[in-house]
Amino acid sequence: CYAKYGSFPLRGKHCHEMALRILLGSIDSHANRYKRYIVPLLAVSIDFYVRVFVRVFTSASEVKRSIAKRAYLYQCYGCDSYALAPVG
């Protein structure tokens, strides 16, 4: 998963939400390389399938602010609670 998407998935009750976040983060990272940013319109996770609809815009100033959308996830393995720590 790290080679394709740049993230490590964690096991837990929130695995489907994490799959959506990993995919959106990967799309955003690839769009930023070309001075573009994304706005998610719809994200659906059903069983083992993930479908994401995004709108792509071009703006170098918004690309610089896109790091504020990212976060690190810290998970407690004893009780499955988790917390998000913003990157930017």
Side-chain angles (χ1 to χ4, degrees):
C1 192
Y2 184 77
K4 287 185 179 181
Y5 304 108
S7 297
F8 291 108
L10 298 175
R11 307 254 190 260
K13 295 178 184 177
H14 54 277
C15 64
H16 297 292
E17 177 186 353
M18 186 174 301
L20 291 171
R21 289 180 184 267
I22 288 172
L23 182 60
L24 286 171
S26 177
I27 293 171
D28 189 48
S29 173
H30 289 313
N32 289 344
R33 294 176 191 164
Y34 303 103
K35 296 181 183 171
R36 295 189 172 117
Y37 68 98
I38 65 165
V39 175
L41 300 175
L42 179 68
V44 180
S45 172
I46 300 172
D47 295 330
F48 293 102
Y49 299 99
V50 174
R51 183 162 290 190
V52 177
F53 295 94
V54 297
R55 182 167 280 165
V56 181
F57 296 101
T58 303
S59 172
S61 62
E62 280 293 323
V63 168
K64 292 177 185 175
R65 288 186 281 227
S66 69
I67 193 68
K69 298 184 220 175
R70 310 247 175 149
Y72 290 111
L73 179 95
Y74 297 102
Q75 178 181 0
C76 174
Y77 289 106
C79 62
D80 284 339
S81 65
Y82 65 95
L84 295 173
V87 174

